[in-house]
Amino acid sequence: MSERDVRDALEATGVAVRGAGDEDEVAGVRPRWVALPESAEEIAAVMRVCAAHDLAAVATGGGTKLHWGAPPRRCDVLVDLCCMNRVMEHAAGDLVVRAQAGVTVEALARALAEEGQELALDVPVPGTTVGGLLATGVAGPRRFRHGTARDLLIGVTVVLADGTIARSGGKVVKNVAGYDLGKLFTGSYGTLGIIADATFRLHPLPAARAWVTATVERPVTVTVEPYVYEGKTLETTSTGVAASLHAAIPAITESPLEPSAVEVDWPDVEGPCTVAVLVEGAAAAERAKALCGLMGETAEVTEEPPPWWGLLPEPPAPDRPPGGTTNGGTGSEGTTSGVAGEGTGSTGGGEILLEVRNIPYRLAGSFVGPFEAAREAGVRASVRGSLAASVLHVALPPDTEPGRVAAFTSQLRDHMETDGEGRVVVLAVPPEAGRRLDRWGHVGALRLMQRVKERFDPDRRLSPGRFPGGI
C-alpha cells in the first residue's frame, strides 16, 4: 500500500492529520504523520488504522519531555493530544476531577483554584500535560506529603494498541480484568497504551504557606588522613557530609511540625547548597519559625518560595569558576526555569539529566554520590530535588563530552546502586552520549515488564524501544 493510501486511511477516520516536520521529532526520530484526535474514540480510530497497516505510534501532549527516554525504534504516527484539553468533570463536593490528557497542569490548577481546590502535585517541567505527567511519572516537592500522580490517580481511560478503549478505577465503565491500569501506565512512557483522560483525588487549597531556607557552605568535605602500613605512611582521601545536614534533615522530616516538602538546590557540587522547607495549612508561619531552630543560624522564613523551587536543576554555567555560584549567592538566585522547561522545546536543547533515587537513611550517599562521581569523571554537576523523598535530579552542562557523560553515569551507579537500594536513570541525554551508556541501569522487574508489554502491545506498535530492555 502506498504512502498516499495510508494517509487516506488515517484521514478517513475523521481525525485531523498533517505531515510531520522537524519540530515533531521524538528523541531525534521523525514521524511521518501527526494525528490530532479530540476524544478517546478518535484515538481508538487512529490506533485501528495503525494496527491495520503496522504503523508505530507515539503519543505527545505538551512535548516538554518528548526527548526523555530512549529514541523509539520506529515512529510512523505522532498522536498529538493538544486538542484534548477539556476538564471533563469537576465534582467539587466529592473532591474529584476528570480531565483529558492534553490539559496542562497549570490550566487544571487555575480551574480547580476557582473552587478553592488543588491537585496536590508540583510539576517540575512547565507546560506538562495530564498525560505527560502520568506517562513519565514525574513529581515535584510535595511528593513527600501527598505522594506522586500515581497516588492521587483514582481512574484512567486508555486506548490500547488495537484500538480498544479501556477504563479503570473511578467512573468505571469497563475494566481490563486483573490489571490496575493507573499504576501500570504511570511512568510507562506510552509503551502500553495512550492515556485519554484521568480522574484525580483533590485537596482543599491550604490556608497559608511559608518556606524556611538555610545555606550550607560545604555540604561535602574532603579530608586527607594519613594511613600507616608496614612502616610506610600513605595519604588517603575521604569524604563526609556536613554535620548540620546529618542532624537537620531527619529532624525536619520527622518533626511534628509536619513539613510538606524538604528540597535542596546544589547548583555546583563543589560549592554551597540551599535547603528549603515548605509548611502548609493552619499556623504555617508559626510552624515555619519553629523549624528555623532545626536548620541553623542561616535559616529564614519567607512567604514566597525560592526562585528554583519545584524546577529541575540547571547545569552549572560554563563560565562559572569551580565551586562558584550564580549571582554571587548560593546559586539559587536567577534560576528561573528548569532545563526541560520553557525555552528548551521538545528537543531538549542537548539536555543531560539524570534521576537519582535513594532511601531516606542514606542521606550521605545522596550527597557524596554526585560529588564523587563528578570528580572521578571530571565533569561539573548540579543537583536539585527532594531530600525528604530521596529523589534528586542531576544536570550536566549540555556540552559535556559524551565519554565523560557515560563515565559520570557509571561512577554514580557505583556509588548509589552497590547495595541494590539506590537507582540512577538517565532521563535525557544527547544521541552520541546515549549510545555509550545504559539509560535505565539494572531493572529487577524487567522480565515482568516484558510480559506486560506482550499482553498489551504484542506487535510492539506503541513507543517501541523507549523503555528498559527495548520495551
Side-chain angles (χ1 to χ4, degrees), residues 226-234:
Y227 173 69
V228 180
Y229 178 71
E230 293 184 347
K232 296 180 180 178
T233 301
L234 306 175

Side-chain angles (χ1 to χ4, degrees), residues 355-358 416-417 421-425 440-443 468:
E355 182 180 87
V356 179
R357 293 174 179 263
N358 210 337
M416 308 300 292
E417 297 183 344
E421 300 287 359
R423 179 93 194 278
V424 177
V425 173
W440 304 98
H442 174 71
V443 179

Side-chain angles (χ1 to χ4, degrees), residues 134-182:
L134 293 171
T136 59
V138 67
R142 288 189 293 170
R143 66 188 307 157
F144 172 61
R145 176 61 58 193
H146 300 288
T148 65
R150 175 177 167 161
D151 301 301
L152 298 175
L153 182 69
I154 58 176
V156 67
T157 302
V158 300
V159 181
L160 305 183
D162 62 358
T164 298
I165 299 175
R167 295 184 172 90
S168 176
K171 313 298 179 185
V172 171
V173 176
K174 176 184 178 183
N175 270 314
V176 175
Y179 293 97
D180 184 331
L181 294 183

Side-chain angles (χ1 to χ4, degrees), residues 13 105-106 176 180 218 231 249 265 270 294 389 467:
T13 63
V105 177
E106 291 95 335
V176 175
D180 184 331
R218 297 295 301 173
I249 302 305
D265 179 40
E270 293 282 351
L294 303 175
F467 218 34

Side-chain angles (χ1 to χ4, degrees), residues 14 26 72 84 93 103 111 126 130 211 219 222 235 246 258 261 270 298 303 316-317 319 327 351 368 391 454 458:
V26 182
M84 295 181 62
V103 176
V130 166
W211 283 261
V222 180
E235 288 190 350
H246 259 309
E258 296 186 343
E270 293 282 351
T298 64
E303 294 181 353
D319 58 349
N327 296 340
E351 180 185 21
V368 172
V391 179
E454 287 293 323

Side-chain angles (χ1 to χ4, degrees), residues 120-316:
L121 295 169
D122 307 293
V123 181
V125 184
T128 291
T129 60
V130 166
L133 175 72
L134 293 171
T136 59
V138 67
R142 288 189 293 170
R143 66 188 307 157
F144 172 61
R145 176 61 58 193
H146 300 288
T148 65
R150 175 177 167 161
D151 301 301
L152 298 175
L153 182 69
I154 58 176
V156 67
T157 302
V158 300
V159 181
L160 305 183
D162 62 358
T164 298
I165 299 175
R167 295 184 172 90
S168 176
K171 313 298 179 185
V172 171
V173 176
K174 176 184 178 183
N175 270 314
V176 175
Y179 293 97
D180 184 331
L181 294 183
K183 286 184 168 56
L184 274 181
F185 276 65
T186 302
S188 66
Y189 280 72
T191 55
L192 299 179
I194 298 176
I195 297 168
D197 64 66
T199 304
F200 294 100
R201 176 165 52 92
L202 304 176
H203 289 80
L205 278 170
R209 287 177 173 143
W211 283 261
V212 187
T213 58
T215 301
V216 178
E217 290 298 331
R218 297 295 301 173
V220 179
T221 55
V222 180
T223 58
V224 177
E225 299 176 349
Y227 173 69
V228 180
Y229 178 71
E230 293 184 347
K232 296 180 180 178
T233 301
L234 306 175
E235 288 190 350
T236 59
T237 301
S238 65
T239 53
V241 174
S244 58
L245 284 170
H246 259 309
I249 302 305
I252 295 167
T253 56
E254 297 167 11
S255 169
L257 298 168
E258 296 186 343
S260 295
V262 182
E263 294 284 292
V264 63
D265 179 40
W266 195 11
D268 188 327
V269 296
E270 293 282 351
C273 76
T274 300
V275 176
V277 181
L278 169 64
V279 182
E280 297 178 298
E286 290 76 9
R287 289 156 55 211
K289 289 177 183 175
L291 279 172
C292 282
L294 303 175
M295 298 177 62
E297 297 178 352
T298 64
E300 61 178 1
V301 178
T302 63
E303 294 181 353
E304 298 294 330
W308 51 268
W309 182 266
L311 297 171
L312 294 173
E314 294 187 4

Side-chain angles (χ1 to χ4, degrees), residues 143 264 269 312-313 353-360 362-371 373 381-396 408-409 411-417 421-427 439:
R143 66 188 307 157
V264 63
V269 296
L312 294 173
L353 182 69
L354 297 85
E355 182 180 87
V356 179
R357 293 174 179 263
N358 210 337
I359 51 181
R362 291 192 60 196
L363 172 72
S366 297
F367 280 91
V368 172
F371 178 84
S382 64
V383 179
R384 188 179 291 166
S386 176
L387 282 178
S390 297
V391 179
L392 303 175
H393 289 100
V394 182
L396 305 183
F408 175 81
T409 303
Q411 296 287 354
L412 190 56
R413 285 188 172 133
D414 286 346
H415 284 286
M416 308 300 292
E417 297 183 344
E421 300 287 359
R423 179 93 194 278
V424 177
V425 173
V426 180
L427 295 179
R439 294 171 185 264

